[in-house]
Structures are given as structure tokens and as C-alpha cells.
Amino acid sequence: MNEKRRTLLKAVGGSTALTALAGCISTGGDGSDGSDGSDGSDASDGSDGSDGGSGGTARLWVDLSDAEDEAITGYIDQYESESGNTINKEAPGGELDQQLETAIPAGDGPDSWIWAHDWVGRFAVREDPPFLYDASDDIDVSLDSYTETARQAAQFDGSLYGLPFASETVALFYNEDMVDEPPETMEEMVSIMDEHHDPENGQYGLSYPVTDPYFVSGFIQAYGGNIFDEEELEVTVDSDACKRGMDALETLSEYVPSDPGYESQIVAFADGLAPFAINGPWELGNLQGEIDNLGVTTLPTVDGNNPRSYSGIQLFYFSAMLADAEQSTVDATTGLAEWYTTNEDVIQTNAEEQGYIPVLADVVSNDDLSNEVQAFAQQVDHGVPIPTHPDMDSVWTPVTEALERVFNDEQDSDAALDQAASEIREAL
């Protein structure tokens, strides 16, 4: 998915990059027209979640890049043809979480939406009104079909709130026309960046949204510290380990364009003005169209430590709208999620064409994944899942603001992390 997904984290309370690759196609607010090719009239066998010949109708909200949107439209067409169900795919019409906050209490929300797992805890504790639907009794597929991390991400306090289809994290993109060998260490990377960094002439060493906690989490946590300790429910961004990680991040920050915003950063790399970019798999298809010889590798080690970047698990969420819905709607919603997340052809094609990192166990274990997807998968192994506890909601904005103060030379990094930790603790 695109950077929209990362304001996925802004919406959770603090990441920044979400508007550049909108590309979503609105299909009408009431979802009653069955657009996006979803006329549901080709088949009526009731398979894959259909509750009989006439099938059910469900609303799905997606906020995707153009390439992703086009791909899922085709898959929905296929599902409808096979199941007899109708899926009305719609764009939310604004920031997804803000639209959900309005639509669900009004009884006009979607039956399902696609987003990363970091909203599970936040929405699971909502009671007035509830935001999520426990589909434990409605799902027929075995959760053992997915990797352990993925199936854990879809659950909270014993309830199943979605089904997973991909994981994501950030890794190191490099332009092979500018980089002979991908760097394995921070020192090697700095040496290459020094060769290219010439900001007065519009050349930079790196494209990297360095004020976004999601993107920089790997380096802050490289020495074993955690921005938020989910096991102990403690704020630890001001730990000595995280402060050491900030030193590494500050080194990288010296090589990026002066505007740390997502669009300014990614354009520099896409235009061939920087040898490196640190970004996610949602950019793979876009960058392959811009960079003739594009490479992807894991983040460089810092003093022998692999950066522990945050990873997200992409889910089909099950909305609280299903609690009062017709059974045919529940079946259509869960049926699509089951079909999509366990279809090996879908998962494999998404890996090849969208850079999605598979979480379907049978695909993860095969040798057909591209080098680029394997690189992201290796970085996921080095990283840690985004905490889902609701307290994480209070972490994003203070850390973002601390990163901005450091980047703008308004505050020393140690003091900035101390202030962020204090603000977070006061908010909890």
C-alpha cells in the first residue's frame, strides 16, 4: 500500500506520510450502486461466503495507490463471479479513521475496511459504540494458514477482528546506476552518500521521511530499546538505548532534502537525485517505473545491530456494522476476506506486482518470491510489530514533534526524547 497507509499511523496519533499517492476511486457514499464492476450477477452458487443463490452485498472501504486499487478491483470482480456476492468498494472520502469515527456511530459505516493491524487494539476497546466485530464464529479458514505474527495481529483479547494478507516495513532502496554494491553497514552507506550529497546543486545522499516515527523506528530501536514497551506497558523512548539510536538517525538526517515531508523525499529518489531511499513495499511498483535499475536490501547495520523497524500487518477489518447486518452481508464480508487472504495466486501476484510481503504460510515457505520482496521479508524478521495496545495511540504525536524539533535544530535529541516521554506519560 501507499504512503496513505502510513498516515494510517498519523491517524493513530502521529505518522505523517499519507496524501501523496491517493489514487482512490470514489464509488458513491451509499454503496448501493454496485459499481467497480461488482454487479454480482455472473454466478449464484453461493460458494465462498454466499448464503444461497441470490448472494449477499457488503461495503468495503479502501484507501490505496492507483496500482493497488486497480488490482483489488480485479480481484473483487473475480470473487463476485465465483461467489454470487456483491462487494461495493468505496473510497472513504477523507482520512480513513476520521471517516470511520463519523460513519460508524451514524450507522453508515462500511462492513469492512483495509488497513494495518495497529488499529486493532485502539478500536477493540471502543464500546459506545463498538467499532469492531468479532468474527470468530463466522470464519471457516484455519488461522494456522497464516504466519504466527499475522494471526496474532488480527486478534485482541481472544477476539478475531480481521484476516491478514500482507506485512510491511521499511527497507533500503538503492539506484544501481549510482551504487555499485548495496551497503551492509552504516559506515558503508555514509561513504556512498558522501559521494553524492551536494544539496546546493539539488543532489542528496538519501531520501527518507526522518520526522516520521514509523519510518525511523528501526534506527531508534537499533540498540535494543523500544519506543513503547508493550509487554510492560511502559514508555521507554527516553531510554539510553533509544537515545543511542537517535544518534544514528541524526547521522542519516544530514543527507536528506530540507523538507522532511514524504512527497519531497520520495521525489528526490524517484528523479535520480539521491542514491538511496528508505521506504516501504507500497512504493516498489511506483519506483520500478521510475528507476531503471532498482535494488532493495535490508537496512544497514548500526554497530553490528540490525535496525528494528516497525512492521505492520495488513488486514481486512470486520466492522461493528456486521453485528446488526443480514447474515448474507456477514457471509459476503467474511467470504471475501477468506477468499482473498488464502488464495495463493492472489498472494503470489501481489508479492510480484505490488511488493506485498506474504503472510500466507504456504507462500512464505516457497522459493518464488522476488529478491525485492525477500529483502523486505528479511527486514520484517529484523523488526518488531507495531504495538496494538491502545496506549500506543498517545505515542505517535509526541514522538513526531520531538523528531521535528531535532531535525529543525530546535532541541537536542536527548532532551527531545525526554520531553516526548514526559508528554506521553502525562497523556496515559
Side-chain angles (χ1 to χ4, degrees), residues 10-48:
K10 177 82 167 182
V12 161
S15 183
T16 52
L18 195 128
T19 52
L21 299 175
C24 293
I25 302 172
S26 177
T27 62
D30 63 3
S32 61
D33 61 0
S35 56
D36 290 301
S38 54
D39 62 9
S41 61
D42 299 86
S44 57
D45 60 358
S47 61
D48 291 308

Side-chain angles (χ1 to χ4, degrees), residues 108-122:
D108 192 35
D111 301 303
S112 179
W113 67 83
I114 291 176
W115 207 255
H117 78 282
D118 45 300
W119 284 0
V120 170
R122 171 193 182 188

Side-chain angles (χ1 to χ4, degrees), residues 104-138:
I104 290 179
D108 192 35
D111 301 303
S112 179
W113 67 83
I114 291 176
W115 207 255
H117 78 282
D118 45 300
W119 284 0
V120 170
R122 171 193 182 188
F123 282 154
V125 298
R126 297 288 293 269
E127 296 181 352
D128 189 22
F131 269 54
L132 298 179
Y133 174 78
D134 181 4
S136 301
D137 296 332
D138 301 285

Side-chain angles (χ1 to χ4, degrees), residues 295-310:
V296 183
T297 187
T298 54
L299 297 177
T301 59
V302 181
D303 290 339
N305 301 304
N306 287 302
R308 300 169 58 244
S309 56
Y310 274 150

